[in-house]
Amino acid sequence: MKGAESGKDDYSEYDTPHLIMTYTALLSLAILRDDFERLNKPGILKLVRSCQRADGSFTSLPNGGDSDLRQVYCAFAISSILDDWSGIDVGSAVKYIQRCSNYEGGYGQSPGGEALGGTTYCALASLYLALSQSTSSVSPHLSPEERTRTIRWLLQNQTPVGGFSGRTNKVPDACYCFWAGASLHILGASEYVNVTALASFLSKCQFKFGGIAKAPEDTPDPYHTYMAVAALALYPPEGADKSYNLPKLNALWNTTEDTAEWIRSHIQRRS
Amino acid sequence: MSHITVDDLADAALLYCEKPEWQDVTPVPQYDGILFNLSVDVLIVVLADKDATDYFRAVVKSDEISERVLQLTEDIIRLNPAHYSAWQFRYRTLIALKSNLDAELALMDVLAIQFLKTYQVWHHRRLILTALHGASPSESLDAAAKELHFITRALDTDTKNYHTWSYRQWLLAFFDDEALWEGELPYVEKLLDVDVRNNSAWHHRYYVVWGRVRANGEVDQEEVLKGEIAYTKDQIAGAPNNPSAWNYLRGVLEHTKQPFSSVQTFVELYAAPARKTAEDVVVDLDNPGPGPDAHLPCVAALEFLADIYEAAGGEQKKAVEIWKSLANEHDNMRKKFWEFRIKDAST
């Protein structure tokens, strides 16, 4: 039994491009120092545009899939990297972001969601990436009260052992050291982080045979290893040995400043 | 068969390329000529995955709609629960075949418990419930009620699972039926009885009490506020150093635009350094005090009291005193933040 006839070419509704994969692909290519000669900028913008919904949110795929602040961040990051916001209705996306803000001061994954470190980063990074875009209806800025509430909640999540948890009353995790740490950095509040305690926690997350785990005594994985190193790049501990000398990190794109400069020179300044 | 292991593969299922009923299909490899250099154990699982997904690409290309596609997508999902295209194709096949969606949910019950932290498993449930609602809004309420029971069982094993709570919140808002909403507050209270520090439960309480869209006049805001403040005070009395409860109190007062000073008497009980002996304590039912084992002063209470002083006219000095004690003694971790508050107040 067959469904509706597929198109003549190889395009399939079940093998579409994916918004999050597109963001990570752009970053990966920049990290690998691709010359971006083959970058299909209009195609990418078409994807981003086709993923946005009426309520301002974005789905992972043009024809559906999950939808929350992660996809919003990816859409904003892609637009920022391409330096072309024509694929997004920024105003409605910002309204969606604001609907994700939560009574605790953080941002939930979607409207009504519990305040969570990762999605708080997505919200804040998006709002600050969009600062270059102004709309007449909505300002992407945060009010001072909102900013203070968010800073308060983020700082509250630095636990007694120095690591950050992702939600109130949860245990610290190396990746939230980045999500919360980068959020505070974006808000201009990084000076309130206890850097020594943070570094102490992350150093204990190191696995004795290499790699960094989410918590001390756990087994390592690439994700937590990257997140820990990224957090330390944002918060270099004072007086530490030179193994803690890490490249400067661009907190909004979540990549090194060197890679960010490559993006500016090879994607933005041409076209 | 649940999550596929190497042992399962070693003695059980044939690969798709070995199954007679799939001989009419030509599998489509993902890439040409890529060699793997893997251990035998990994290779067996990788080959099963490669085999199934090669057949998947073939049926997507030919646009097949059939029962065997359901079996194929189920196998892929068990091997790789994050394979979003397989989920998408499965959903489309279920709808095209007019499959029994309640049976699909029962199958998903097994997978969800194992793959609790995968986005796709929950997204699929959302699609199924939406489809059931579309087919028959009144009948789908039964399915929604069953879902709440399922979600409760899932939460029993993992009380703070973000996806699970998120799905529960979506379900309640989507169906927006009083019969579904009315059990939520008792459920939250049960959870908080077990663990008063479960922030997901506190958050759900906020969602159910304040996050629901209500018509004007449907609810007596003042009564609700009184009740919520009384409840939160009791929970703080039972476990004072619980940021979830204090965040809830702050959030509720901010949401209803009540000044923090409206609970000053209560907060002072927890900002006080030493607990009075039993004879000195005056029992105030509206302001339950800390128990004998409470660790005082409570950092959240100190912060709260300082915020009250800061907001009031002419009480800056008292706020600064508290922030100093937080910076130097009670909340050293956030020393720089408290020092900033001191500096900010003097400008």
Side-chain angles (χ1 to χ4, degrees):
Chain A
M1 181 179 167
K2 270 181 130 61
E5 285 302 313
S6 307
K8 300 180 283 287
D9 51 34
D10 281 338
Y11 178 79
S12 160
E13 269 193 76
Y14 301 97
D15 191 17
T16 68
H18 188 291
L19 198 59
I20 301 178
M21 303 303 167
T22 300
Y23 159 73
T24 51
L26 284 174
L27 273 194
S28 300
L29 285 167
I31 289 167
L32 293 168
R33 301 297 186 260
D34 185 77
D35 60 18
F36 288 105
E37 294 280 331
R38 286 164 296 173
L39 184 68
N40 178 358
K41 190 169 129 173
I44 294 175
L45 290 172
K46 192 172 169 190
L47 168 71
V48 173
R49 192 176 294 117
S50 65
C51 288
Q52 189 164 24
R53 294 291 165 268
D55 68 353
S57 67
F58 291 80
T59 47
S60 283
L61 308 164
N63 55 7
D66 48 1
S67 160
D68 51 62
L69 277 178
R70 299 171 298 142
Q71 288 80 1
V72 171
Y73 169 72
C74 290
F76 276 51
I78 290 168
S79 302
S80 169
I81 284 168
L82 297 180
D83 197 19
D84 187 332
W85 294 77
S86 60
I88 299 192
D89 177 348
V90 174
S92 72
V94 167
K95 286 209 183 89
Y96 176 81
I97 294 171
Q98 290 168 335
R99 281 171 48 221
C100 294
S101 105
N102 160 287
Y103 74 89
E104 290 194 271
Y107 292 76
Q109 189 167 291
S110 53
E114 187 184 357
L116 177 63
T119 48
T120 298
Y121 168 85
C122 291
L124 294 170
S126 299
L127 291 177
Y128 278 76
L129 282 169
L131 279 182
S132 61
Q133 307 303 305
S134 61
T135 68
S136 53
S137 50
V138 169
S139 163
H141 291 79
L142 290 172
S143 73
E145 293 76 32
E146 287 167 328
R147 180 179 169 272
T148 303
R149 281 171 74 239
T150 305
I151 289 173
R152 176 198 174 269
W153 176 76
L154 286 163
L155 287 174
Q156 185 180 69
N157 286 331
Q158 186 165 23
T159 66
V161 295
F164 281 84
S165 62
R167 293 181 262 168
T168 307
N169 270 335
K170 290 208 79 183
V171 295
D173 178 325
C175 71
Y176 289 110
C177 294
F178 174 79
W179 299 124
S183 295
L184 285 161
H185 179 95
I186 290 168
L187 289 172
S190 49
E191 62 196 284
Y192 311 131
V193 171
N194 187 327
V195 180
T196 310
L198 177 66
S200 165
F201 172 77
L202 289 173
S203 72
K204 294 194 183 85
C205 291
Q206 292 179 104
F207 186 62
K208 63 182 168 187
F209 300 119
I212 305 178
K214 75 174 187 189
E217 314 300 315
D218 252 314
T219 48
D221 59 63
Y223 166 73
H224 288 96
T225 301
Y226 170 74
M227 289 282 134
V229 171
L232 287 167
L234 284 176
Y235 293 97
E238 251 175 71
D241 77 54
K242 61 182 184 349
S243 66
Y244 283 86
N245 290 355
L246 293 165
K248 197 155 177 284
L249 195 89
N250 180 308
L252 292 176
W253 283 342
N254 192 3
T255 192
T256 60
E257 271 301 339
D258 286 342
T259 299
E261 187 47 42
W262 183 270
I263 288 171
R264 286 181 207 111
S265 56
H266 288 75
I267 299 181
Q268 298 186 343
R269 276 171 224 146
R270 69 148 51 106
S271 73
Chain B
M1 190 169 32
S2 57
H3 187 70
I4 293 180
T5 66
V6 169
D7 291 329
D8 293 327
L9 293 169
D11 47 34
L14 295 171
L15 292 176
Y16 276 83
C17 59
E18 296 166 322
K19 296 190 204 211
E21 67 273 23
W22 279 90
Q23 287 314 303
D24 60 303
V25 175
T26 307
V28 177
Q30 188 170 19
Y31 306 117
D32 290 323
I34 292 186
L35 295 172
F36 291 94
N37 188 14
L38 301 162
S39 72
V40 174
D41 284 352
V42 175
L43 198 57
I44 290 173
V45 177
V46 166
L47 282 175
D49 181 74
K50 178 182 180 330
D51 170 72
T53 54
D54 285 351
Y55 278 82
F56 175 70
R57 274 181 282 277
V59 298
V60 167
K61 204 167 175 189
S62 69
D63 216 9
E64 182 172 325
I65 296 175
S66 67
E67 285 293 329
R68 67 180 182 178
V69 165
L70 291 181
Q71 185 56 57
L72 175 61
T73 51
E74 185 186 328
D75 281 346
I76 291 173
I77 282 158
R78 286 179 188 279
L79 281 163
N80 178 8
H83 196 306
Y84 54 84
S85 307
W87 283 105
Q88 252 190 322
F89 203 70
R90 180 182 183 82
Y91 176 73
R92 155 265 197 203
T93 307
L94 288 165
I95 298 301
L97 289 176
K98 299 194 188 348
S99 301
N100 183 319
L101 295 180
D102 291 305
E104 175 70 0
L105 283 174
L107 171 65
M108 289 300 124
D109 286 359
V110 175
L111 292 186
I113 300 280
Q114 264 166 264
F115 303 130
L116 275 176
K117 291 196 167 147
T118 323
Y119 288 97
Q120 287 73 22
V121 133
W122 297 101
H123 184 69
H124 189 68
R125 290 192 94 92
R126 239 178 253 228
L127 293 177
I128 305 284
L129 268 293
T130 308
L132 284 169
H133 177 78
S136 165
S138 51
E139 276 178 40
S140 67
L141 283 178
D142 279 339
K146 267 168 76 180
E147 280 299 273
L148 282 181
H149 283 123
F150 167 75
I151 296 165
T152 299
R153 282 201 329 272
L155 286 172
D156 282 344
T157 67
D158 188 358
T159 59
K160 299 182 184 183
N161 186 294
Y162 200 95
H163 297 294
T164 317
W165 278 111
S166 195
Y167 180 61
R168 192 179 189 101
Q169 282 140 16
W170 170 82
L171 190 84
L172 289 163
F174 180 76
F175 287 89
D176 198 18
D177 183 82
E178 185 57 41
L180 297 177
W181 284 108
E182 71 184 3
E184 293 304 285
L185 205 49
Y187 175 57
V188 161
E189 291 197 8
K190 237 176 63 183
L191 290 176
L192 290 176
D193 277 342
V194 168
D195 178 10
V196 75
R197 289 178 178 79
N198 184 336
N199 198 69
S200 301
W202 278 102
H203 171 80
H204 196 66
R205 187 181 186 97
Y206 189 96
Y207 183 78
V208 166
V209 175
W210 305 102
R212 207 176 141 181
V213 176
R214 307 282 213 135
N216 274 335
E218 200 187 320
V219 160
D220 183 343
Q221 278 266 42
E222 268 189 57
E223 273 306 302
V224 171
L225 178 61
K226 257 176 66 182
E228 288 306 294
I229 290 179
Y231 176 81
T232 309
K233 282 177 175 176
D234 280 337
Q235 304 315 306
I236 289 174
N241 286 289
N242 178 7
S244 292
W246 287 99
N247 286 355
Y248 186 80
L249 183 59
R250 296 173 71 100
V252 164
L253 291 173
E254 283 171 344
H255 178 75
T256 53
K257 303 199 177 12
Q258 299 298 306
F260 278 11
S261 56
S262 60
V263 293
Q264 183 165 352
T265 311
F266 173 77
V267 174
E268 280 169 350
L269 295 172
Y270 296 85
R275 191 185 53 83
K276 297 188 166 126
T277 56
E279 300 95 73
D280 292 314
V281 173
V282 175
V283 174
D284 176 355
L285 290 175
D286 283 339
N287 294 297
D293 297 325
H295 182 83
L296 296 176
C298 174
V299 168
L302 286 171
E303 176 186 27
F304 205 112
L305 193 54
D307 286 340
I308 291 173
Y309 289 141
E310 189 187 30
E315 304 251 58
Q316 293 285 43
K317 262 203 187 129
K318 289 187 186 172
V320 168
E321 281 311 303
I322 292 179
W323 289 326
K324 278 192 180 140
S325 75
L326 283 167
N328 301 323
E329 198 184 337
H330 303 297
D331 192 21
N332 201 256
M333 180 65 72
R334 274 155 284 278
K335 185 180 171 71
K336 296 192 216 162
F337 179 62
W338 302 123
E339 285 169 350
F340 161 72
R341 299 294 296 274
I342 294 168
K343 214 175 82 179
D344 195 45
S346 64
T347 53

